[in-house]
Amino acid sequence: CCVLCLCCVLIVLCLCCVLIVFCLSHCRYALGMEDGRIKDDDITASSQWYETTGPQYARSEGDGAWCPEGQLEPSDSQYLQVDLGRLTFLTIVGTQGRYARSSGNEFARAYRLNYSRDGLLWKSWRNRLGNPVMEGNKNAYASVINDLHPPIVTRHVRLIPVTKLSTTVCMRVELYGCPWDDGLISYAAPEGQLMMPPGYPIASLNDSTYDGTRERRRLSGGLGQLTDGVIGLDDFLLTRQYHVWPGYDYLGWRNDSLGTQGFVEMEFVFDRQRNFTSMKVHSNNMFSRGVKIFSSVSCQFKPHLIANWEAEPVAFKTVLDDRNPSARYVTVPLNRRAAKSLRCRFYFADVWMMFSEISFQSVKKIKSRTRLPMSLVLISANPSASDSPDVSNTPVLIGCLVTIILLLVIIIFLILWCQYDCKVLEKVKRHNPTLKSVEAKGRLFRCFYFEREFGMMSANSCKERRSYWCLYLSVFVIMLVLNMNYFCPAACGGGYAEPDVTQCTPHQCFHSNAPHYAETDIVRLQGVTGSNMYAVPALTVDSLTRKDISAAEFPRQQLIFREKLGEGQFGEVHLCEAEGLPEFLGEGSPLPDRDGHSVLVAVKQLRADATSQARNDFLKEIKIMSRLNDPNIIRLLCVCVSSDPLCMVTEYMENGDLNMFLSQREIESTLTYANNIPSVSLSDLLHMSVQISSGMKYLASLNFVHRDLATRNCLLDRRLTIKIADFGMSRNLYSSDYYRIQGRAVLPIRWMAWESILLGKFTTASDVWAFGVTLWEIFTLCKEQPYSLLSDEQVIENTGEFFRNQGRQIFLYGPPLCPPSLFELMMRCWSRDIPDRPTFEGLYQALRPHVSQ
Ligand SMILES: *[C@@H]1O[C@H](CO)[C@@H](O)[C@H](O)[C@H]1NC(C)=O
Ligand SMILES: *[C@@H]1O[C@H](CO)[C@@H](O)[C@H](O)[C@H]1NC(C)=O
Ligand SMILES: *[C@@H]1O[C@H](CO)[C@@H](O)[C@H](O)[C@H]1NC(C)=O
Ligand SMILES: *[C@@H]1O[C@H](CO)[C@@H](O)[C@H](O)[C@H]1NC(C)=O
């Protein structure tokens, strides 16, 4: 029974946590009517009845309420007006009547909302079906909560009670939402159109919640579906709303309907001048129906409302995706240009273009908050909700949790107490057969009082009693769970459905499902000289001594500096000439290309100011490398560790790294041949892939995990042999490939398997994943970063989709150069489940035949 109780408590706790996460990650904060953050002066009304029912009493606390003067007639338009002080994304309105310790009996059965962003032009709110009236209260005390569908962006709100009969009404009000940090106050666009294809339902792609003017087939001066926080589904015919028409979530245009210009022009106006970093456009990509994301966009900027458009636009070309039909956010960098107004032209890539949401990111003026922890950063794709997590509700939430836990503890205590009494009773029974009298006295058995209350007197034995109690407890817990909404009403603004955990954002899943990132692992990743080395789990630093290092000590004075190749946090890599190295290594040792007596080598050197941790890592790196011996792995030739600074000497790879090499080349064709453009052939690319798989096969056979396989870590020698390395030689060049977590570590997230990102788990199987990405790089000739359309946060979000595996994850597309069978191989590398991924041996066997063809 106790185990059962414990389980119940845990279940309740978990549900509460999910609820809290759900609340905090959504824009549902009380805006301060009740707790006084909205000042009396900001609450006004068209009229009031007595002094004691003025607008400032419209807060949910206390006895008072706002009551308009006299009886409210059906034709009346009395209102309570609230100035929120700033643009706000308003999601919920809660109302109550005048209770006044049960002496009041006035409330509003229904009401309407008017709102205004500037305080001058008022608009009336309508729900998605066009109905402006919301249901209000049914009695004077209970609070009724209305979710606004659609939510509104506004600063001023008017609540207008409506009535069918002449009555007196009074209201108390609370508003819920969050600050509108986007700052967008209006957008203008061509009106969306009807899609009438034969054999499909008609999709109406208009902006049905737009609150500006519609003139000559153009929308202007308002906000609508592009800012309502609802993103469309992959199939634009399906929607997230009930009782609406197909295509509801999207605003869409046909390419030939707007003249022959081939683009859609939109204008955006903001509350003040901002320096824009990026724009995110959520766009459909159902290419099978002729819908694609835009092919390019060009944005012009205007610093003040009365100014000319600046001549120089920011242009951005997207990478079109013919493989993955999911709707997606396209991030358009805006280069920190300052503007109050923006004009963007989105160019068609196909017959249709459909957007469901547009948001803007700009430089924040004051960095008042410290950086958000990683898990919070993850939800920033949902800008309105995450930018300013106001945690004013946390005390309420904690209070409500504590109450529930206390209740459960009390019940468990009661059960134990009764058990004790029951045992005593049975003992007495055994010694004293005249039980009746004992029971009649009853004083000893305090518990009977409770049991009688619960109607359990029919129980005879302790065991039976116990099962009754358990039954009651279970029922209680189930009731509790079912009534979650009533237990924590204020916490989230109340009566909405249970959160759907399968729909959770990575932010929530981080809290509810997946374990946290192992921090120690992250720090380890960074390595010493800015390079990550092969990780060996069982290696401890203490055990490292000179004798562990099998490479020979080379006389330092015989290294002649030529040039600096790169540098990392604690070290540098130099190109040096090593005099007498062939003799030093002895005959039979395969040597790099020699130049007479001396040999060119790369020397990685630890700086004098390196920390002892870095020093240990450097020695560890040497130890591991000295054990590796494979034609496709960079070779450690010798070391200088008998005195400072510590050095390691490796082969010098003349052709640099594979990323640089490929990105400067085109695929071989008659054109490249005729114009003498540097080129590679498809069989070169396949040969490279085989070599990398061969090197990785070797590492895997030694159970070494590389952790950072990518083209930037594959080096090429003079004969274009690939050797896998991990030198931070050019790390600075590739800094955008790494994701910085609060300055603690840099992670190559675009190459990492989902389990490495979410669970901090690095295995040979996660190397296989990275190998798939490396192959992809090779066959795009490194012209593009993996998932270049996604921001770092979105990449991590996508990782969550891989984890959930509900078909919403975005895969890399198949490069045009890549044979289909090879793309299948890549896709297998990105299998969610580790057993489904190929091994390096398998990859090598699968790739090798391609080369001989
Ligand atoms: C509400 O807004 C509508 C315009 O949408 C206007 O006609 C009406 O007078 C407004 N009512 C109040 C009380 O502001
Ligand atoms: C949008 O299209 C739907 C369906 O055709 C129509 O019912 C609705 O009135 C339209 N909305 C506007 C604002 O034009
Ligand atoms: C619209 O798209 C079709 C199909 O891609 C294309 O043939 C046509 O030229 C496009 N029209 C315009 C005006 O861009
Ligand atoms: C915005 O950019 C301008 C230069 O274009 C700069 O002077 C200004 O300080 C920037 N403002 C912010 C908030 O970064």
Side-chain angles (χ1 to χ4, degrees):
C1 180
C2 276
V3 174
L4 183 77
C5 297
L6 217 65
C7 286
C8 294
V9 173
L10 283 180
I11 291 171
V12 171
L13 275 181
C14 289
L15 277 169
C16 266
C17 291
V18 170
L19 195 74
I20 289 174
V21 167
F22 176 77
C23 300
L24 291 185
S25 64
H26 284 68
C27 179
R28 292 162 167 271
Y29 308 107
L31 293 173
M33 287 292 278
E34 178 164 359
D35 63 20
R37 274 175 297 142
I38 297 176
K39 299 278 170 270
D40 281 354
D41 291 347
D42 292 331
I43 310 174
T44 51
S46 54
S47 72
Q48 69 189 60
W49 207 345
Y50 298 108
E51 277 296 287
T52 52
T53 55
Q56 64 274 23
Y57 293 101
R59 304 172 187 276
S60 355
E61 105 307 359
D63 290 338
W66 163 70
C67 312
E69 194 171 6
Q71 297 262 322
L72 188 71
E73 303 295 334
S75 59
D76 272 358
S77 179
Q78 301 277 355
Y79 59 83
L80 175 77
Q81 181 174 335
V82 181
D83 177 359
L84 296 166
R86 60 190 289 190
L87 278 182
T88 303
F89 193 69
L90 191 68
T91 53
I92 297 172
V93 178
T95 54
Q96 267 174 293
R98 191 177 80 95
Y99 185 52
R101 285 194 212 91
S102 80
S103 72
N105 192 25
E106 300 88 7
F107 52 92
R109 289 185 185 276
Y111 60 96
R112 287 188 290 131
L113 270 189
N114 269 19
Y115 63 95
S116 168
R117 287 191 264 277
D118 55 8
L120 301 171
L121 179 66
W122 289 87
K123 303 170 180 185
S124 48
W125 178 87
R126 286 168 186 278
N127 73 6
R128 295 200 187 270
L129 303 175
N131 182 4
V133 178
M134 269 181 280
E135 258 189 50
N137 301 84
K138 296 207 162 45
N139 54 45
Y141 46 90
S143 149
V144 167
I145 274 179
N146 276 304
D147 271 46
L148 298 182
H149 292 298
I152 42 185
V153 176
T154 188
R155 176 173 163 175
H156 306 270
V157 191
R158 278 180 185 168
L159 280 97
I160 310 163
V162 294
T163 177
K164 288 201 183 93
L165 307 165
S166 148
T167 54
T168 47
V169 299
C170 293
M171 295 180 94
R172 287 180 285 164
V173 175
E174 182 60 283
L175 301 168
Y176 302 83
C178 58
W180 178 243
D181 286 333
D182 264 29
L184 185 63
I185 51 178
S186 75
Y187 63 78
E191 175 66 288
Q193 291 150 1
L194 284 180
M195 188 177 188
M196 290 183 283
Y200 286 102
I202 294 177
S204 186
L205 303 161
N206 58 6
D207 194 340
S208 49
T209 64
Y210 194 74
D211 61 10
T213 56
R214 297 164 192 268
E215 258 175 14
R216 281 179 279 127
R217 310 189 54 77
R218 209 175 154 76
L219 311 170
S220 60
L223 296 176
Q225 285 187 287
L226 294 185
T227 53
D228 67 356
V230 177
I231 59 172
L233 298 170
D234 291 351
D235 181 351
F236 57 87
L237 290 178
L238 307 177
T239 90
R240 293 183 191 272
Q241 319 298 331
Y242 296 108
H243 311 304
V244 290
W245 51 89
Y248 180 88
D249 290 341
Y250 284 97
L251 178 56
W253 309 272
R254 200 186 148 88
N255 70 350
D256 52 11
S257 64
L258 306 161
T260 49
Q261 54 193 9
F263 59 79
V264 169
E265 187 172 270
M266 298 184 74
E267 234 178 278
F268 304 92
V269 181
F270 293 82
D271 54 348
R272 57 180 164 81
Q273 202 184 72
R274 288 161 181 261
N275 288 6
F276 293 99
T277 51
S278 61
M279 163 171 77
K280 289 186 177 173
V281 184
H282 190 267
S283 177
N284 193 282
N285 196 42
M286 204 178 176
F287 46 80
S288 59
R289 304 283 316 275
V291 188
K292 261 201 204 144
I293 62 168
F294 45 96
S295 63
S296 63
V297 55
S298 124
C299 290
Q300 281 185 300
F301 299 81
K302 195 149 77 169
H304 315 285
L305 272 193
I306 310 161
N308 289 327
W309 293 104
E310 287 174 355
E312 195 190 324
V314 167
F316 179 75
K317 242 176 117 58
T318 62
V319 179
L320 295 175
D321 180 351
D322 293 336
R323 289 203 177 244
N324 183 349
S326 28
R328 71 218 34 216
Y329 267 111
V330 181
T331 305
V332 179
L334 294 175
N335 305 347
R336 295 183 172 243
R337 290 272 293 263
K340 182 159 163 46
S341 175
L342 247 81
R343 184 166 74 186
C344 294
R345 289 180 173 175
F346 298 90
Y347 288 85
F348 284 95
D350 210 323
V351 185
W352 284 91
M353 184 156 73
M354 295 182 191
F355 299 161
S356 72
E357 199 73 10
I358 295 189
S359 67
F360 289 85
Q361 291 72 45
S362 49
V363 179
K364 288 243 165 65
K365 254 210 192 116
I366 326 139
K367 282 245 185 291
S368 59
R369 270 176 296 117
T370 49
R371 263 197 68 144
L372 295 170
M374 176 176 170
S375 49
L376 280 178
V377 174
L378 295 179
I379 51 167
S380 62
N382 179 2
S384 47
S386 64
D387 274 357
S388 201
D390 172 351
V391 283
S392 62
N393 276 321
T394 318
V396 183
L397 291 170
I398 292 173
C400 125
L401 269 187
V402 167
T403 317
I404 290 174
I405 294 169
L406 266 180
L407 270 174
L408 284 173
V409 167
I410 289 171
I411 292 179
I412 291 169
F413 173 75
L414 273 176
I415 293 175
L416 295 178
W417 189 33
C418 287
Q419 279 296 304
Y420 173 76
D421 274 5
C422 188
K423 290 252 167 69
V424 173
L425 178 70
E426 284 203 339
K427 222 186 239 165
V428 172
K429 227 194 229 170
R430 240 177 281 135
H431 293 121
N432 184 357
T434 57
L435 170 72
K436 278 261 158 32
S437 61
V438 178
E439 214 167 349
K441 275 183 196 163
R443 253 183 321 176
L444 186 63
F445 310 109
R446 299 152 289 188
C447 174
F448 286 168
Y449 172 74
F450 292 99
E451 293 199 343
R452 200 171 295 124
E453 288 297 295
F454 280 92
M456 287 197 295
M457 278 314 280
S458 54
N460 286 322
S461 67
C462 288
K463 212 170 172 187
E464 222 167 303
R465 282 208 170 83
R466 196 160 58 203
S467 38
Y468 270 118
W469 273 105
C470 276
L471 190 73
Y472 275 97
L473 186 66
S474 318
V475 169
F476 173 76
V477 169
I478 290 168
M479 301 276 281
L480 197 64
V481 170
L482 291 181
N483 288 309
M484 214 63 168
N485 290 347
Y486 299 103
F487 274 79
C488 304
C492 303
Y496 50 86
E498 287 276 313
D500 179 356
V501 188
T502 57
Q503 295 274 341
C504 60
T505 66
H507 166 56
Q508 295 159 19
C509 288
F510 257 88
H511 287 270
S512 54
N513 297 335
H516 283 271
Y517 214 103
E519 278 191 14
T520 47
D521 260 15
I522 300 177
V523 181
R524 284 265 145 255
L525 268 172
Q526 198 165 12
V528 193
T529 41
S531 77
N532 316 326
M533 284 321 291
Y534 315 98
V536 182
L539 203 71
T540 59
V541 173
D542 317 331
S543 66
L544 274 174
T545 54
R546 182 67 187 85
K547 68 175 177 352
D548 287 328
I549 298 170
S550 49
E553 178 85 16
F554 189 71
R556 191 182 293 274
Q557 64 280 6
Q558 279 170 247
L559 289 173
I560 300 150
F561 175 82
R562 282 274 173 270
E563 70 183 273
K564 188 154 120 183
L565 294 174
E567 70 187 304
Q569 195 184 353
F570 294 116
E572 293 175 352
V573 183
H574 297 156
L575 174 64
C576 292
E577 227 169 81
E579 263 180 23
L581 186 65
E583 293 78 8
F584 178 83
L585 291 176
E587 285 308 311
S589 162
L591 252 194
D593 301 323
R594 63 173 70 198
D595 181 12
H597 181 59
S598 57
V599 179
L600 282 178
V601 291
V603 177
K604 191 159 149 189
Q605 181 174 322
L606 194 68
R607 261 206 285 271
D609 60 351
T611 59
S612 64
Q613 171 72 44
R615 211 183 143 82
N616 275 330
D617 285 353
F618 192 79
L619 286 171
K620 204 191 279 185
E621 194 173 316
I622 291 180
K623 175 179 170 180
I624 296 160
M625 278 193 73
S626 66
R627 287 205 247 147
L628 300 177
N629 182 11
D630 184 85
N632 294 114
I633 302 283
I634 194 97
R635 198 156 69 93
L636 183 68
L637 299 172
C638 52
V639 294
C640 313
V641 291
S642 59
S643 63
D644 276 340
L646 305 181
C647 295
M648 60 173 104
V649 179
T650 64
E651 302 167 284
Y652 170 57
M653 306 295 280
E654 216 154 288
N655 270 309
D657 69 71
L658 185 57
N659 189 289
M660 196 74 81
F661 182 84
L662 286 178
S663 63
Q664 290 163 356
R665 279 168 174 72
E666 297 296 332
I667 196 75
E668 203 170 70
S669 66
T670 48
L671 195 74
T672 60
Y673 195 71
N675 296 312
N676 220 357
I677 298 170
S679 63
V680 286
S681 68
L682 196 58
S683 77
D684 289 340
L685 298 183
L686 285 165
H687 189 223
M688 288 169 179
S689 316
V690 173
Q691 292 184 62
I692 299 174
S693 67
S694 168
M696 290 308 294
K697 181 170 67 111
Y698 172 76
L699 283 187
S701 71
L702 298 177
N703 281 330
F704 282 152
V705 180
H706 186 291
R707 296 186 179 213
D708 192 11
L709 179 62
T711 52
R712 62 181 173 276
N713 288 327
C714 296
L715 304 183
L716 286 156
D717 71 5
R718 186 184 290 176
R719 287 185 227 95
L720 299 189
T721 305
I722 292 195
K723 303 207 177 204
I724 300 167
D726 208 2
F727 290 175
M729 282 201 209
S730 36
R731 182 60 52 87
N732 287 344
L733 279 180
Y734 295 113
S735 56
S736 69
D737 286 347
Y738 293 84
Y739 178 71
R740 187 168 285 281
I741 301 174
Q742 288 193 299
R744 270 186 290 127
V746 283
L747 296 176
I749 50 167
R750 288 162 201 270
W751 283 260
M752 280 163 71
W754 68 266
E755 75 272 12
S756 308
I757 294 182
L758 293 181
L759 313 176
K761 206 164 114 185
F762 291 87
T763 56
T764 298
S766 60
D767 275 354
V768 167
W769 182 296
F771 179 79
V773 182
T774 308
L775 274 188
W776 183 89
E777 282 187 283
I778 292 176
F779 284 90
T780 52
L781 295 182
C782 301
K783 298 282 189 286
E784 195 193 318
Q785 198 187 30
Y787 309 104
S788 60
L789 291 182
L790 303 186
S791 66
D792 284 346
E793 284 73 27
Q794 285 169 337
V795 169
I796 294 177
E797 206 161 311
N798 192 34
T799 304
E801 294 295 351
F802 270 108
F803 165 68
R804 286 190 288 278
N805 203 25
Q806 290 166 342
R808 282 200 296 260
Q809 64 269 49
I810 300 172
F811 287 94
L812 289 166
Y813 64 86
L817 289 177
C818 176
S821 60
L822 203 63
F823 184 61
E824 255 166 51
L825 206 62
M826 289 182 202
M827 291 293 283
R828 277 178 50 212
C829 295
W830 306 321
S831 303
R832 179 193 190 271
D833 299 317
I834 288 173
D836 295 343
R837 295 182 203 158
T839 60
F840 279 114
E841 179 66 45
L843 283 165
Y844 176 70
Q845 296 302 347
L847 283 167
R848 213 175 35 165
H850 281 282
V851 178
S852 48
Q853 273 166 18

